[in-house]
Amino acid sequence: MNELIDNDKSIIVRTENLSKSFLDGKSVIKATDRVNLTITSGEFTAVVGPSGSGKTTLLNLIGGLTSPTSGKVFVKGKDINQLTDKELVNFRLHNIGFVFQLLNLIPVLTVEENIGFVMELQGADKEQRIERTAELLEVIGMRDRAHSRPSSLSGGQKQRVAVARALASKPLFILADEPTANLDTEAAETLLNTMLLLNEKEKITFLFSTHDPRVMNKARRLITLEDGRITKDETYVR
Amino acid sequence: MMKLAWLNLHRNPSRALLTIFSVFIAAFFSILFGSTKNGILNSSIDSILKLSGGHIEIRSKSYSKTRSIDDIMYLDSATLDSISMLPYVKSVLPVLQSYLLISHSSSPSTKAVAIIGIDPEAEKDRILTVSEMVEGEWFSKCDKGVILGENMREQLGLGVGDTLAVMGMGYHGSSAVGLIPIQGIARIPVSTVDKSTIFITLSAAQELFQADDCYSEIYIMSERLDKVDLIKSQIQNKFSSEEYEIRDWKSIIEEYLFYFRFADAIGFIIMLFLYILVGSNILGTIIMMTKERKLEFSVLISIGMSRNKLSKSLFYELIIVALLGVILAVIITLPIVHYFTIHPIPLYGEAVATLKQFSIYSGLYMSLDFTLFIKQFLIVLGICLVFATYPIAFIQHLKVDEGLSKRDANEDNL
Ligand SMILES: Nc1ncnc2c1ncn2[C@@H]1O[C@H](COP(=O)(O)OP(=O)(O)O)[C@@H](O)[C@H]1O
Ligand SMILES: [Mg+2]
């Protein structure tokens, strides 16, 4: 049965009774509670829920940044928790793009260098990097800021560069934990439109979390979490 | 990676400067303290050498045993000049000393004294013998009179202008007899010398003992303590070891060596405390600046930068900072130490006053020694290298999810 599912080329992520508990003093917090979830290629999915519902923990588990208390995460059929820390870092480098809420960019590098950074880690040569970086700058509409430092960018611009950086490594999918949380409405909208554009034109898979209703409205699939459990999983045609 | 490390330093200059400063302080004080310690040690050795002779002593083997005027050595002036021309030789102090009976027409008693013939010019380098003249003038080259201490003057009840009748054995069976005027009274800080010794010019002594170009011993002062062995070996080439005894300061001050070791040990302990002090300062700074960057490190590891690569980049950062700090310290301390090798740091207090009285103390000098600079440079750099393991361990054990969480993420880097 499992084999069958994972042989389906379109399945990127699958979790199996995924749980993560934290010890908070004497009480156990089930941040993620027996989550079964499948993400297929090309999805534009938002994980929603109130603060403390377990969005960050779930994304961290899927991204291999946190190890589960029980259950499994398969990425392209591979049980990522079987990997050593070293292998996991390398796995992330080649398969997952990350966009965080805070400090995504390396402040001392220019926009261009930031985008090229993961490619450099991957061992891409300079020409490849320049070509791809130019391409991505075009997509996010920031060609004129190629040589700026992150500190001179607005919050929205920084997040768009972060998306470009995440894309540069040609990952299977992009994980974004509350990418709009620090942005005003307009910037949030621009960022979401950029992500949507990438999703539609380039078939990039996005899994992001948010508690902003306006952002949710753009998602094609909404996974609602409450106390670490999935309470709703709805798909929309927009 | 090297580039990233370098850029990172610019990113938060105040943080980098803080670390550079803590390394700088460490190297700065290590170098200054080390130089002062060596300076004290060297100048104490110097003082003792001035008391006892010089860095190197030459006398004939037989004289060394008998201390008899018949066993003094003959040296032509060319040989003497050749010694003073050796590199690092500061001065050559030829001496002719012996014993005499002295008396004065006003009193029937005679007294046995040591008489030391000295080169008035060269002798100035030995501050001990005479610290200042109480009456009369210090010798000029061809003076025939004697200078004696205040104690001797009291014993004899004589003064400047009085004439002493002297009598003793001369060289090779001759007799040393004559009338010698007292030309000056000096303050002589070493009481045994003050009580029992009179001074005369070398040429007058040689004339009195009928021993032209003869010397009981030659003292040699070196410009630098670490060059004494070199000078000694060159002298050994000139003087046969069968005929001459050549001693250097180490054997001369053997009795004092224990005290030096003791002082050295105390210096070492103070140095150790200093290292612990400055070391913990460096460590504190490194820990602070590592923890501060937890979020940044977490992001980098998340997006696929291996912990080893990140460690390496951070290690480079620290090395650059440490090098800057130490090099800066060397550049700044060099002229300071140089200055204090020439100008003593004045010290005050009773103990110092006593030392001054004995002319042993002339201030606190530092020692400019390049090996010390290199040593402190390496030690402080070594301390930094050891401490660099902290951020490396930090990165190896960093829990990425915790680092990313807003709970303790600092947001100044937004
Ligand atoms: N490292 C941790 N230690 C203890 N409790 C944690 C930790 N991380 C998350 N939690 C708890 O797990 C629950 C889910 O947190 P989180 O995944 O951050 O939720 P969200 O991102 O939806 O706000 C919360 O109750 C939170 O307090
Ligand atoms: Mg969260």
Side-chain angles (χ1 to χ4, degrees):
Chain A
M1 176 71 182
N2 284 349
E3 305 246 321
L4 247 181
I5 296 174
D6 287 9
N7 277 342
D8 181 345
K9 283 274 191 297
S10 65
I11 292 184
I12 292 178
V13 178
R14 188 169 60 80
T15 70
E16 221 177 76
N17 282 328
L18 190 59
S19 300
K20 176 75 182 180
S21 307
F22 292 106
L23 213 55
D24 191 14
K26 275 182 190 147
S27 61
V28 175
I29 300 170
K30 292 184 170 172
T32 303
D33 192 8
R34 286 163 289 164
V35 167
N36 290 294
L37 177 69
T38 304
I39 306 287
T40 53
S41 181
E43 280 190 26
F44 197 72
T45 301
V47 177
V48 302
S51 178
S53 60
K55 304 181 294 292
T56 297
T57 307
L58 180 60
L59 293 195
N60 282 350
L61 283 166
I62 293 173
L65 302 177
T66 301
S67 54
T69 311
S70 65
K72 287 175 178 169
V73 179
F74 296 93
V75 175
K76 268 286 164 189
K78 189 176 220 133
D79 182 350
I80 61 169
N81 300 116
Q82 298 291 324
L83 301 174
T84 63
D85 180 77
K86 237 188 196 147
E87 290 167 337
L88 203 52
V89 172
N90 198 43
F91 185 81
R92 284 196 299 263
L93 174 62
H94 291 278
N95 297 289
I96 311 176
F98 286 91
V99 177
F100 300 103
Q101 182 185 332
L102 303 169
L103 185 96
N104 270 292
L105 307 178
I106 301 167
V108 289
L109 301 182
T110 62
V111 164
E112 192 179 57
E113 289 165 335
N114 261 290
I115 296 174
F117 185 72
V118 265
M119 298 174 69
E120 199 174 338
L121 291 178
Q122 284 179 324
D125 61 42
K126 204 171 176 181
E127 264 167 48
Q128 277 175 293
R129 293 205 309 260
I130 290 173
E131 196 178 321
R132 180 116 179 99
T133 305
E135 212 177 282
L136 290 165
L137 280 170
E138 187 72 53
V139 173
I140 60 169
M142 285 180 61
R143 241 178 47 192
D144 52 329
R145 305 308 299 269
H147 303 291
S148 308
R149 304 263 164 200
S151 56
S152 69
L153 302 180
S154 71
Q157 289 173 321
K158 278 186 206 168
Q159 290 304 71
R160 265 149 56 213
V161 175
V163 171
R165 196 267 322 273
L167 273 176
S169 60
K170 300 205 162 142
L172 272 175
F173 64 104
I174 289 181
L175 283 176
D177 188 16
E178 310 229 20
T180 60
N182 281 31
L183 304 183
D184 59 37
T185 316
E186 206 187 312
E189 174 140 1
T190 316
L191 180 65
L192 255 288
N193 287 340
T194 307
M195 285 164 60
L196 259 177
L197 189 80
L198 284 162
N199 176 258
E200 282 162 7
K201 290 227 168 111
E202 321 239 341
K203 303 283 171 271
I204 309 288
T205 310
F206 280 92
L207 178 60
F208 58 97
S209 70
T210 184
H211 57 251
D212 180 347
R214 279 162 304 196
V215 174
M216 291 176 207
N217 288 339
K218 305 244 177 197
R220 295 223 188 72
R221 180 181 171 194
L222 275 185
I223 297 170
T224 309
L225 286 182
E226 258 169 61
D227 296 332
R229 309 201 57 174
I230 298 182
T231 54
K232 250 194 263 173
D233 188 345
E234 305 154 310
T235 308
Y236 303 92
V237 181
R238 297 194 203 271
Chain B
M1 282 313 112
M2 201 63 178
K3 184 187 162 207
L4 187 63
W6 177 247
L7 288 172
N8 262 323
L9 292 178
H10 290 279
R11 129 118 161 283
N12 193 334
S14 58
R15 184 165 63 198
L17 281 179
L18 196 69
T19 320
I20 292 176
F21 186 67
S22 72
V23 175
F24 166 79
I25 288 292
F28 182 82
F29 283 111
S30 312
I31 291 173
L32 285 195
F33 183 76
S35 297
T36 311
K37 192 190 94 177
N38 284 2
I40 292 174
L41 212 62
N42 287 355
S43 65
S44 334
I45 290 173
D46 260 16
S47 306
I48 289 177
L49 288 178
K50 279 166 181 163
L51 278 169
S52 56
H55 293 112
I56 299 172
E57 300 178 2
I58 310 173
R59 50 172 71 82
S60 79
K61 273 231 160 102
S62 45
Y63 179 79
S64 164
K65 283 196 206 93
T66 61
R67 301 279 162 175
S68 151
I69 185 91
D70 282 337
D71 290 323
I72 57 177
M73 58 193 163
Y74 168 85
L75 291 177
D76 55 34
S77 57
T79 312
L80 272 184
D81 287 345
S82 74
I83 297 176
S84 43
M85 256 130 73
L86 288 174
Y88 301 110
V89 168
K90 186 175 169 199
S91 52
V92 177
L93 316 172
V95 163
L96 174 56
Q97 59 177 313
S98 187
Y99 302 93
L100 283 175
L101 290 173
I102 56 173
S103 58
H104 183 256
S105 51
S106 69
S107 111
S109 69
T110 57
K111 181 175 165 50
V113 297
I115 178 164
I116 303 183
I118 51 175
D119 177 338
E121 279 309 304
E123 196 64 19
K124 281 180 186 161
D125 282 334
R126 291 211 296 181
I127 40 171
L128 157 81
T129 33
V130 168
S131 60
E132 63 185 297
M133 296 302 292
V134 179
E135 234 185 297
E137 295 285 317
W138 178 245
F139 295 124
S140 54
K141 190 104 186 162
C142 296
D143 283 344
K144 303 282 185 219
V146 295
I147 290 177
L148 40 86
E150 291 166 292
N151 187 305
M152 178 77 81
R153 171 178 62 181
E154 269 166 43
Q155 290 177 51
L156 297 174
L158 301 174
V160 172
D162 289 331
T163 299
L164 295 172
V166 305
M167 189 176 74
M169 285 220 312
Y171 190 44
H172 284 178
S174 66
S175 57
V177 187
L179 292 172
I180 308 177
I182 297 175
Q183 108 170 44
I185 308 296
R187 266 200 50 228
I188 297 175
V190 180
S191 64
T192 49
V193 177
D194 193 22
K195 264 185 231 160
S196 63
T197 307
I198 63 176
F199 293 90
I200 190 168
T201 62
L202 186 61
S203 56
Q206 285 169 338
E207 196 184 314
L208 178 65
F209 291 104
Q210 298 182 32
D212 279 354
D213 292 331
C214 287
Y215 310 93
S216 54
E217 46 259 303
I218 310 284
Y219 296 115
I220 294 151
M221 304 294 290
S222 167
E223 277 166 6
R224 287 170 52 179
L225 213 50
D226 55 346
K227 296 296 177 193
V228 172
D229 286 343
L230 176 76
I231 298 173
K232 190 183 172 192
S233 71
Q234 281 170 317
I235 289 175
Q236 275 164 337
N237 290 341
K238 290 181 196 290
F239 292 82
S240 89
S241 62
E242 275 166 36
E243 252 182 279
Y244 297 98
E245 177 191 81
I246 297 162
R247 301 209 305 159
D248 68 19
W249 66 280
K250 277 175 230 156
S251 56
I252 299 169
I253 65 165
E254 207 139 281
E255 308 117 78
Y256 302 95
L257 229 46
F258 167 77
Y259 297 101
F260 285 125
R261 297 235 171 82
F262 184 68
D264 218 20
I266 288 180
F268 176 76
I269 290 168
I270 296 175
M271 207 76 177
L272 209 64
F273 271 105
L274 185 69
Y275 286 136
I276 291 172
L277 206 71
V278 297
S280 52
N281 183 32
I282 296 178
L283 185 62
T285 316
I286 290 179
I287 290 177
M288 193 183 74
M289 80 159 209
T290 305
K291 290 199 162 154
E292 208 176 71
R293 293 168 70 181
K294 196 170 169 182
L295 174 63
E296 174 192 339
F297 298 151
S298 300
V299 167
L300 289 172
I301 296 170
S302 296
I303 65 172
M305 185 169 190
S306 80
R307 292 176 196 261
N308 288 346
K309 242 183 204 157
L310 184 54
S311 300
K312 221 186 264 173
S313 161
L314 203 64
F315 184 75
Y316 289 148
E317 253 183 67
L318 265 174
I319 293 301
I320 295 171
V321 162
L323 274 175
L324 284 177
V326 201
I327 290 171
L328 200 67
V330 168
I331 291 173
I332 291 183
T333 47
L334 210 59
I336 296 179
V337 172
H338 180 70
Y339 179 85
F340 285 117
T341 53
I342 302 165
H343 305 89
I345 307 161
L347 293 180
Y348 306 96
E350 259 175 61
V352 173
T354 315
L355 287 176
K356 267 188 182 151
Q357 205 182 349
F358 283 83
S359 300
I360 291 174
Y361 174 85
S362 48
L364 188 59
Y365 287 94
M366 289 187 185
S367 137
L368 183 64
D369 181 354
F370 288 99
T371 57
L372 178 125
F373 274 81
I374 292 166
K375 208 165 106 188
Q376 300 305 331
F377 183 95
L378 292 178
I379 288 176
V380 174
L381 208 59
I383 290 176
C384 294
L385 286 189
V386 170
F387 290 165
T389 54
Y390 173 80
I392 291 171
F394 182 89
I395 285 173
Q396 297 299 334
H397 295 118
L398 175 63
K399 290 209 174 77
V400 176
D401 50 351
E402 279 175 23
L404 288 172
S405 87
K406 274 181 287 175
R407 284 160 208 277
D408 54 5
N410 96 356
E411 306 191 7
D412 72 328
N413 289 316
L414 252 177

